[in-house]
Amino acid sequence: MRRDAYVYHITSWDEHRPSSPTLSYPMDSSSLVLALIAVALPVLLHLLTRPNKPRRPAAAKLLPPGSLGLPVIGQSLSLLRAMRANTAERWIQDRIHRYGPVSKLSLFGAPTVLLTGPAANKFIFFSSALALQQPRSVQRILGDESILDLMGADHKRVRGALAEFLKPDMLRLYVGKIDGEVRRHLDERWAGQRAVTVMPLMKRLTFDIISLLLFGLERSPLQDALAADFAGVMDGMWAVPVNLPFTAFSRSLRASARARRLIAGIARETRAKLHSGEASRSSDLIACLLSLTDHTGAPLLSDKEIVDNSMVALIAGHDTSSILMTFMVRHLANDPDTLAAMVQEHEEIAKSKGDGEALDWEDLAKMKYTWRVALETLRLVPPIFGNFRRATQDVEFDGYLIPKGWQVFWAASVTHMDTGIFHEPAKFDPSRFENQSAPPCSFVAFGGGPRICVGMEFARIETLVTMHYLVRGFRWKLCSKNDTFARDPMPSPLHGLPIELEQKGSP
Ligand code: HEM
């Protein structure tokens, strides 16, 4: 997901200039060298080719306060460092204290306006003058016809197709499959272990769930191959986009090409199964997308759109949810009261089930407290820190001009930690989601407006099912007293969150 969201990149100062390097995570030592090259080259180019024309005088006085900093580099490295040190919220707060809730800066090579607060979120999510900003590196890896790159009618068409697969009466059908996958994982990878590392286990669990539902992939060498390719895709997605044989970016491109071939092959097989009646529209996402037609009876999505959007759904559909579940496990380890209330909720539900009987849609509706715990976890640690938009025309917010071509950056945590919206925001308190929902655009872990997360309900199902079996089956303790985390750029607990595990009911 889309992880468009999760990226910070260098594009050219001038959006029409042809080569614009992208800088993002991870900043390991080889990446750092490349990052320096990526930063230094454009600085030189910028200085040599800087146009002489003056800035627009009329617009200048309306621009938000703040400084664009050094050409190209701007404030990028400073923000990246803060993300890594998990002090990015403070970094943004410092800017707000200095300049107010609307300020200009330069991030990843482009002039940017940072906007914070619910009114700003509403503007970002709903304004037709702002388009989702997709870094070229991510576009090259995921494909340029995914939902993340489309606008207007095309975005609506592809979003409608994905929503068809994720609508409630389809989701109902998935609960049993997700239940089976969760139990298999816990039996094979958690049961009988004295210690496990949570994050990689959650990543594989959510990958297996989503690949089962997107492609009908059961446990098989094909699923393992796809999992390996996707791990490769993720490794380089946030690296410096230098396509040389030894770079993470190039490895990521190769892994993406392999994954795309696998998905195209699955699509061919599924098409044949649809013809022979062995598959139906509700079999999996690919079957659903292949079955959709427009009013003339022509396929709604091209073959390339199906592959590109399957790539996005696979990434968006497992990375974020696995972070949510990992951080719930981390929080519950040190909050016995919340854990006890969850255990009680799930034991109550289990009483009405037969031995080994799978959970169903109605059971999930009863897991209200657990979902509030999940929402509170998302409020405190939103998997997506923030995201970029690009102004497609000059546009105004709060009396300030945002010129055409500038980036706009929103950051979820700033709103989530606003004392005017959430009482004692640093406190973990699931009851704040009881009865009253948060005011519009103030809880934005899933974004908002026409691009609000299309997989939100899916994430709810897999989280609730996993937590049901986890809190009933196991007790755990964190292995390390130091439970800090970094944003890389997604939140990632120290060492992947190792825990000591005890299976309930075992001697
Ligand atoms: C806890 C889990 C999840 C979180 C926190 C999350 C968060 C988000 C956010 C914040 C956005 C909006 C980004 C923006 O507007 O800039 C988004 C969009 C999206 N999400 Fe999720 N997501 C989650 C799970 C999922 C799942 C399970 C799927 C797929 C099954 C999914 C698919 C997508 C897609 C396709 C978009 C793009 C929608 C569009 O552009 O119209 N997400 N997500």
Side-chain angles (χ1 to χ4, degrees):
M1 206 183 82
R2 118 181 177 5
R3 279 206 7 182
D4 56 298
Y6 332 133
V7 216
Y8 306 91
H9 56 139
I10 287 183
T11 55
S12 169
W13 197 267
D14 169 352
E15 62 173 345
H16 302 300
R17 201 179 296 162
S19 65
S20 57
T22 301
L23 170 68
S24 44
Y25 286 105
M27 294 283 281
D28 55 26
S29 47
S30 61
S31 296
L32 193 63
V33 173
L34 289 168
L36 288 174
I37 297 169
V39 168
L41 270 179
V43 172
L44 273 175
L45 275 175
H46 176 82
L47 292 175
L48 291 173
T49 60
R50 186 166 39 182
N52 282 330
K53 58 178 182 206
R55 287 170 189 230
R56 289 182 262 182
K61 62 174 186 269
L62 293 168
L63 288 175
S67 148
L68 295 179
L70 282 175
V72 181
I73 297 173
Q75 288 82 1
S76 318
L77 295 180
S78 155
L79 176 60
L80 288 173
R81 263 198 308 272
M83 301 261 308
R84 274 236 140 162
N86 196 18
T87 53
E89 277 91 356
R90 202 176 340 127
W91 190 92
I92 291 182
Q93 286 299 350
D94 287 349
R95 288 193 62 81
I96 296 174
H97 284 137
R98 213 171 321 145
Y99 303 114
V102 182
S103 64
K104 71 171 180 302
L105 69 168
S106 168
L107 288 178
F108 313 110
T112 304
V113 176
L114 169 70
L115 296 180
T116 54
N121 294 339
K122 188 170 171 212
F123 166 72
I124 290 167
F125 295 142
F126 289 92
S127 171
S128 56
L130 300 178
L132 193 66
Q133 170 88 346
Q134 179 68 351
R136 258 173 261 172
S137 56
V138 175
Q139 193 186 63
R140 282 184 64 189
I141 290 171
L142 294 184
D144 56 7
E145 288 180 31
S146 85
I147 186 167
L148 306 177
D149 265 299
L150 301 176
M151 287 173 62
D154 279 335
H155 171 253
K156 242 184 172 161
R157 175 176 54 87
V158 169
R159 189 176 164 102
L162 290 177
E164 185 66 27
F165 174 72
L166 293 164
K167 66 186 184 190
D169 49 332
M170 293 285 272
L171 290 175
R172 257 175 191 276
L173 306 174
Y174 312 149
V175 182
K177 287 186 181 176
I178 294 176
D179 181 285
E181 203 56 46
V182 170
R183 279 202 265 182
R184 180 176 73 77
H185 262 257
L186 294 181
D187 280 353
E188 290 178 0
R189 297 170 190 241
W190 294 62
Q193 304 293 326
R194 299 180 64 179
V196 294
T197 304
V198 180
M199 186 93 156
L201 287 181
M202 288 301 188
K203 285 214 187 269
R204 185 62 204 238
L205 168 64
T206 53
F207 183 87
D208 287 355
I209 290 175
I210 198 83
S211 60
L212 175 67
L213 290 162
L214 296 187
F215 311 125
L217 277 186
E218 308 268 352
R219 206 153 32 130
S220 61
L222 185 59
Q223 192 190 45
D224 289 340
L226 202 59
D229 284 336
F230 265 83
V233 167
M234 302 302 292
D235 279 351
M237 192 134 76
W238 323 118
V240 180
V242 177
N243 189 7
L244 294 173
F246 55 88
T247 61
F249 180 65
S250 141
R251 283 196 298 277
S252 183
L253 281 178
R254 287 198 299 273
S256 156
R258 284 193 301 273
R260 301 173 73 79
R261 277 196 297 275
L262 283 178
I263 295 173
I266 294 171
R268 274 194 302 277
E269 275 175 29
T270 309
R271 182 173 275 132
K273 284 187 188 163
L274 283 167
H275 280 307
S276 67
E278 280 172 84
S280 72
R281 182 177 174 147
S282 60
S283 299
D284 52 52
L285 175 79
I286 293 269
C288 177
L289 297 183
L290 285 167
S291 311
L292 295 172
T293 51
D294 66 13
H295 63 282
T296 66
L300 192 66
L301 268 64
S302 68
D303 285 0
K304 177 157 184 334
E305 282 177 333
I306 290 181
V307 173
D308 285 6
N309 286 289
S310 299
M311 294 284 288
V312 168
L314 200 59
I315 288 182
H318 87 281
D319 222 28
T320 41
S321 321
S322 62
I323 291 170
L324 166 60
M325 295 187 219
T326 301
F327 277 83
M328 285 177 83
V329 169
R330 172 179 176 264
H331 179 84
L332 292 172
N334 290 326
D335 183 349
D337 293 343
T338 302
L339 179 62
M342 272 176 66
V343 171
Q344 195 188 342
E345 179 168 86
H346 291 284
E347 288 302 342
E348 215 39 61
I349 291 164
K351 274 188 205 158
S352 65
K353 309 295 294 179
D355 209 14
E357 188 186 343
L359 292 165
D360 58 32
W361 187 252
E362 283 66 37
D363 296 321
L364 299 185
K366 295 178 197 154
M367 300 181 187
K368 291 194 167 44
Y369 183 75
T370 304
W371 186 236
R372 290 201 290 269
V373 173
L375 292 176
E376 184 65 342
T377 308
L378 287 169
R379 185 184 68 80
L380 287 164
V381 188
I384 298 177
F385 180 78
N387 201 7
F388 288 98
R389 297 289 193 270
R390 180 175 43 82
T392 55
Q393 59 191 67
D394 281 2
V395 58
E396 239 185 83
F397 178 75
D398 207 13
Y400 293 113
L401 175 82
I402 304 171
K404 179 179 174 184
W406 279 39
Q407 294 184 137
V408 175
F409 183 57
W410 64 273
S413 301
V414 180
T415 319
H416 290 179
M417 296 307 281
D418 185 333
T419 45
I421 304 168
F422 297 103
H423 180 62
E424 293 188 75
K427 190 171 151 194
F428 188 92
D429 178 10
S431 75
R432 60 175 96 243
F433 289 98
E434 207 173 327
N435 300 325
Q436 86 274 13
S437 52
C441 295
S442 54
F443 175 74
V444 289
F446 290 105
R451 284 195 179 264
I452 194 168
C453 178
V454 72
M456 194 161 64
E457 273 299 299
F458 187 94
R460 189 178 74 92
I461 299 177
E462 53 184 352
T463 304
L464 294 179
V465 173
T466 305
M467 285 300 144
H468 176 82
Y469 290 109
L470 213 52
V471 301
R472 291 190 59 233
F474 301 91
R475 292 185 195 89
W476 59 89
K477 282 204 291 223
L478 300 186
C479 289
S480 167
K481 294 248 174 303
N482 179 359
D483 70 346
T484 54
F485 68 93
R487 286 191 173 270
D488 208 8
M490 308 281 269
S492 157
L494 200 64
H495 309 308
L497 198 69
I499 56 171
E500 284 172 29
L501 200 61
E502 187 194 330
Q503 202 167 346
K504 286 186 183 173
S506 58

